[in-house]
Amino acid sequence: MFKLSQETIAIVTVGLALATLIVTGDAANRAEARADRETLRVEARADRTEAQAAREADREAFEQHIIRLTQGQSRLTGIVEQMRTAGR
C-alpha cells in the first residue's frame, strides 16, 4: 500500500471541505429560488384574481349604465309618442 504525505492529506481534506460547502450552498440557493418562485406564483395568482374581480365589477357597472340609458330612451320615446298623438 502506498503512503500519502501530510501535505497530500491536507490538500485532499481541504478539497473535500470545499466540495461540501459548494454542494451545501448550491442546495440552499435552490431552496431559496424555489421559495421565491412559489412566492411569485402566489402573488401572480392574487393579481389575476384581483384583475378578474375588477373586470367583473366594470362589466356589471357597464350593464347597469346600458340599462339606465335604455330606460331613459324608452321614456323619451314615450314622451315623443304622446306629443305626436296629442297633436292630432
Side-chain angles (χ1 to χ4, degrees):
M1 180 166 220
F2 63 93
K3 246 183 165 179
L4 296 175
S5 68
Q6 288 183 346
E7 291 85 11
T8 304
I9 293 172
I11 290 170
V12 169
T13 303
V14 168
L16 288 173
L18 287 174
T20 302
L21 284 173
I22 289 170
V23 169
T24 304
D26 187 44
N29 286 340
R30 287 183 186 194
E32 183 178 333
R34 189 176 302 121
D36 289 345
R37 281 193 308 272
E38 184 58 30
T39 300
L40 288 173
R41 282 188 192 115
V42 168
E43 289 174 358
R45 194 175 302 124
D47 288 345
R48 282 192 305 270
T49 302
E50 183 179 317
Q52 184 177 3
R55 281 191 305 271
E56 184 64 30
D58 287 347
R59 184 179 300 119
E60 288 176 12
F62 181 71
E63 287 174 2
Q64 291 301 316
H65 185 68
I66 294 297
I67 289 169
R68 282 193 304 275
L69 288 174
T70 303
Q71 289 170 343
Q73 180 66 35
S74 296
R75 279 193 296 272
L76 287 174
T77 301
I79 292 170
V80 168
E81 195 60 39
Q82 283 178 347
M83 291 172 69
R84 268 194 211 148
T85 56
R88 289 184 187 172

